[in-house]
Amino acid sequence: MATVLAGVIPRPHAPVEVRELPEPELEPDSALLEVALSEVCGTDVHLQQGRLEGVPYPLIPGHVSVGRLSKIRGRLLDITGRPFAEGDRVTFLDVHRTCNACWHCLVAKATTRCPRRKVYGITYGLADGLAGGWAQKLYLKPETRCIRLGDVDFEKFMAGGCALPTALHAVERAGVELGDTVLVLGSGPVGLSVIIFALMRGALRVLCIGAPERRLEAARQVGAAATLNVETSDEETRVRWVLEHTEGRGADVTIEATGAPIAVVQAMRYTRDAGRVCVVGQYTDHGEVSLNPHHDLNRKHLDVRGCWGSDFSHFYRGVRIMADPARSEAWSLLKLDRYKLGEANEALADVAAGKVTKALIAPQA
Ligand SMILES: [Zn+2]
Ligand SMILES: [Zn+2]
């Protein structure tokens, strides 16, 4: 029987184990992906630390991945109706089974809140099969939406990785307009992709407050006009810095991508009157925070929005942008660190410590 090596988180707080698992039988209209690269993001750190709700441990992490279709049973079609063939280079929408039949999908048109949606590597566990990217092969269940990568470089695509659809969604949701000054809080993978997309969408200048210095350097490389280290500045300094860079008014748009609850209030305070705030970094529950509704919200006439998950449209457009050499150039400036399956624990530790800009898992290595 053919077997597959996979990295498994057995339960919260337990280290990743490399296990040998049987290669699955394919259901009709499903496929196997030979994983070239998957990634280690903040979500994986949260998974290992047991910070996400509804996770069916044990699980194989790795929600966004790229590779070649190594086996197809039945038909696998792209959104134009064209069939995929074995050997095709693809990625796939990690969100599966959005139902298009519930109140969230049909009435609210908020498909990222569909209660039936499942996410590979997050809410699909080992019991659901080889449903995570930290594995030599990944099982693409029927109705998984694959996207052709054509000749898009695997590494360059993964430099954006899961941050790509998230950041694209956040920039859209924030309503960035031509000539805006955009402030990005956070310089992790999502923050960096937000900087690139905000400029692409017509921001005149993007400012970034984040840490550590290595990531701020990356922020400047991908186009941030100015950066400030959150770890070595106090709140008074940060407010003054934002005002100095915005003619004393505050940012037109602030996008929060940090994960720290206090950053949500800071985002409101750093934004100009009648400006816009988009919160995308609060993916896990890090607790409560207090604010002054009169000063921070009402009197400022602020527009504050949350941004949850991403759908096929964000993913698809992210891939298309990556296929454009000029538009995707900024991502090739990001430094990548590759880890083998057996080095997944090291990768998690490095991501948790902010030691790396972008960590990739190379399961075939
Ligand atoms: Zn991720
Ligand atoms: Zn639904």
Side-chain angles (χ1 to χ4, degrees), residues 78-156:
D78 69 13
I79 53 163
T80 69
R82 197 175 135 212
F84 287 99
E86 289 176 0
D88 281 352
R89 302 167 84 254
V90 300
T91 185
F92 62 96
L93 178 67
D94 55 347
V95 179
H96 189 225
R97 295 208 169 124
T98 299
C99 77
N100 202 31
C102 73
W103 179 89
H104 287 88
C105 284
L106 293 178
V107 181
K109 295 193 165 80
T111 60
T112 68
R113 295 294 302 136
C114 172
R116 289 185 204 141
R117 79 204 270 276
K118 291 281 184 185
V119 186
Y120 281 89
I122 300 177
T123 53
Y124 271 141
L126 193 52
D128 300 297
L130 289 172
W134 297 9
Q136 292 173 321
K137 287 185 181 163
L138 183 146
Y139 180 46
L140 295 167
K141 296 165 180 281
E143 289 171 32
T144 299
R145 297 278 158 233
C146 289
I147 304 173
R148 280 172 214 287
L149 284 172
D151 55 9
V152 178
D153 183 65
F154 281 151
E155 275 210 346
K156 185 159 90 173

Side-chain angles (χ1 to χ4, degrees), residues 198-282:
L199 288 166
M200 210 180 280
R201 202 174 145 116
L204 187 63
R205 286 186 327 142
V206 180
L207 313 169
C208 178
I209 301 179
E213 193 48 46
R214 181 185 326 100
R215 285 181 167 182
L216 294 178
E217 196 187 317
R220 293 189 295 272
Q221 279 170 349
V222 299
T227 60
L228 180 69
N229 192 319
V230 68
E231 288 171 351
T232 55
S233 58
D234 58 17
E235 185 58 10
E236 201 189 314
T237 310
R238 290 192 286 266
V239 170
R240 199 173 346 109
W241 183 84
V242 172
L243 293 178
E244 274 168 16
H245 285 84
T246 55
E247 297 172 320
R249 284 190 297 268
D252 297 308
V253 176
T254 303
I255 299 177
E256 181 280 328
T258 72
I262 187 66
V264 175
V265 184
Q266 290 167 338
M268 294 161 77
R269 292 182 183 157
Y270 302 160
T271 304
R272 68 161 165 89
D273 285 0
R276 297 167 311 279
V277 172
C278 180
V279 175
V280 69
Q282 307 293 313

